[in-house]
Amino acid sequence: MRWGLPLCLALLLSGCASQFGLADPYGNLYGNYYNHGADYRWQMLTCEQAIDDQSVPDARRKQFMRCCMGAHGVPIPDLASCPAVG
């Protein structure tokens, strides 16, 4: 019982955090509790269109999307590792 409350609280908070994030179809997640992913919808639409316009191969789409989102102002880890994205 000693760990019951902290464990329940941790599970509850981890479930709530996913409500604030925005996921793309390639498995990337943007935003968190303090930085809501819903604020990044226009960037996601722009990057999805860029994927179609540039005919990005399936194998590169996850990285392209993450880097494109970063190039449009969405905070992502390791933005410096991204090549230039158009």
Side-chain angles (χ1 to χ4, degrees):
M1 198 60 160
R2 181 176 172 191
W3 296 102
L5 181 59
L7 181 60
C8 288
L9 186 57
L11 290 172
L12 176 65
L13 290 176
S14 67
C16 289
S18 65
Q19 291 179 358
F20 299 106
L22 179 67
D24 66 31
Y26 312 104
N28 297 310
L29 182 65
Y30 311 98
N32 56 37
Y33 182 78
Y34 297 104
N35 185 10
H36 295 213
D39 296 336
Y40 306 130
R41 294 210 186 277
W42 74 264
Q43 291 97 327
M44 182 171 287
L45 292 173
T46 300
C47 293
E48 286 175 345
Q49 187 62 49
I51 285 173
D52 290 338
D53 292 347
Q54 297 180 28
S55 300
V56 177
D58 290 344
R60 289 194 52 238
R61 288 183 176 205
K62 181 174 182 168
Q63 179 192 21
F64 183 93
M65 182 65 135
R66 181 178 55 80
C67 292
C68 181
M69 294 286 280
H72 285 88
V74 177
I76 62 166
D78 69 342
L79 180 60
S81 70
C82 292
V85 176

